[in-house]
Amino acid sequence: MTIKKSNRLVLGNWKMNGNILDNAILLNGLKNVDYSLHCDFGVLVPFPYLSQTLSILHGTKISWGAQNLSIHSSGAYTGEVSATMLKEFGCDLVLVGHSERRILYKETNSDIAKKAFAALSVGITPVVCFGETLDEFKAKQTFNIIENQVSSILELGCEIVSRMIFSYEPVWAIGSGSAASPEYVQDIHFFIRGMLDQIGASGIKILYGGSVKSSNAASFFVMPDIDGALVGNASLIIDDFLSITKL
Ligand code: PGA
């Protein structure tokens, strides 16, 4: 796979969904995309399906990866999966710090920075997620929360951060069916872009995630600081996902 700096990027986050039969339909369907597109795309699948994904997508321009990884490289960490293992299954990408991991599994900013670093150390691009909860949004804390989450990643320094992809995903928009407004997202992305500029990290992709679907994706893509989308539910329906990549 090649993720071009200038191309839009659309990633499907399957979350804990899928089975071998349905995955085969979805993954084979993805291969029908028009490769002349100005859009790169990929899928982030559950660990057990990485082998299936590798065997179907191998040799295509489609990227794939996992949704989590360990901060450790090997050893007595029952139930964990290392970056090196992901690399063996051809992963180019891994999600780090998705809000479902931050909230349900209590991942901290420090864990997330370590995971991003572990991924990069074997050449996997971390897609680092940020976002405020509904309570934080209502309390008008969005910018503080984002600043806090992003700062802890920026501590890794410009050279390391420049190899990441960011994704802003307001928790209240995820899985709700109602996305945030493109103008609101643009403001947050512009703010994040400013933080990146301060450490000299330019050209980093910032995706938006939260109820992106074929009917609203274009309204995000016209915004100057929105470089693509992280798509949950709609990535499980081949026609929806393909139509987002074709916009
Ligand atoms: P959604 O999920 O598109 O179903 O809202 C996005 C995500 O959680 O990455």
Side-chain angles (χ1 to χ4, degrees):
M1 82 87 201
T2 34
I3 293 179
K4 292 202 204 92
K5 280 267 180 201
S6 56
N7 273 8
R8 182 184 303 148
L9 179 62
V10 175
L11 297 177
N13 172 13
W14 289 8
K15 309 196 179 186
M16 198 176 72
N17 292 298
N19 58 64
I20 289 172
L21 276 179
D22 289 348
N23 301 346
I25 296 168
L26 204 47
L27 293 168
N28 281 306
L30 291 179
K31 291 163 77 175
N32 294 328
V33 82
D34 173 5
Y35 286 139
S36 64
L37 290 175
H38 50 278
C39 172
D40 292 319
F41 69 104
V43 286
L44 302 158
V45 308
F47 293 133
Y49 302 135
L50 283 172
S51 169
Q52 183 187 21
T53 305
L54 167 68
S55 68
I56 297 179
L57 296 186
H58 182 70
T60 71
K61 291 186 181 168
I62 306 165
S63 312
W64 66 90
Q67 302 163 13
N68 185 26
L69 81 165
S70 172
I71 61 173
H72 302 289
S73 52
S74 65
Y77 302 103
T78 302
E80 292 288 282
V81 174
S82 73
T84 316
M85 293 171 186
L86 297 183
K87 195 74 188 165
E88 284 200 295
F89 287 91
C91 292
D92 298 304
L93 300 164
V94 64
L95 273 186
V96 173
H98 189 281
S99 62
E100 286 149 19
R101 304 246 17 122
R102 289 180 188 261
I103 295 167
L104 300 174
Y105 301 100
K106 312 283 180 248
E107 287 189 7
T108 63
N109 284 336
S110 153
D111 296 330
I112 291 157
K114 285 180 193 152
K115 288 184 179 199
F117 188 79
L120 283 169
S121 66
V122 300
I124 295 177
T125 303
V127 180
V128 187
C129 304
F130 311 99
E132 80 282 13
T133 64
L134 181 60
D135 286 347
E136 291 160 349
F137 172 72
K138 283 184 180 160
K140 302 201 185 317
Q141 287 301 306
T142 300
F143 285 94
N144 291 341
I145 297 294
I146 298 301
E147 184 169 24
N148 182 264
Q149 293 177 346
V150 173
S151 304
S152 70
I153 288 291
L154 299 193
E155 280 168 21
L156 291 170
C158 176
E159 193 275 319
I160 291 171
V161 172
S162 298
R163 291 186 278 146
M164 298 181 182
I165 293 169
F166 282 7
S167 188
Y168 168 59
E169 300 203 297
V171 180
W172 45 272
I174 294 176
S176 68
S178 305
S181 79
E183 294 75 19
Y184 176 83
V185 175
Q186 165 59 29
D187 282 352
I188 309 290
H189 283 213
F190 183 76
F191 176 70
I192 296 173
R193 192 81 69 199
M195 293 183 73
L196 287 165
D197 284 347
Q198 276 175 18
I199 66 156
S202 60
I204 293 180
K205 283 192 195 303
I206 311 179
L207 314 181
Y208 164 70
S211 298
V212 174
K213 41 197 165 194
S214 49
S215 58
N216 64 17
S219 64
F220 293 102
F221 297 158
V222 294
M223 292 293 167
D225 290 299
I226 302 180
D227 302 313
L230 180 56
V231 185
N233 281 327
S235 73
L236 298 170
I237 305 159
I238 186 68
D239 289 345
D240 278 13
F241 191 62
L242 283 182
S243 49
I244 295 171
T245 66
K246 284 177 187 151
L247 287 170

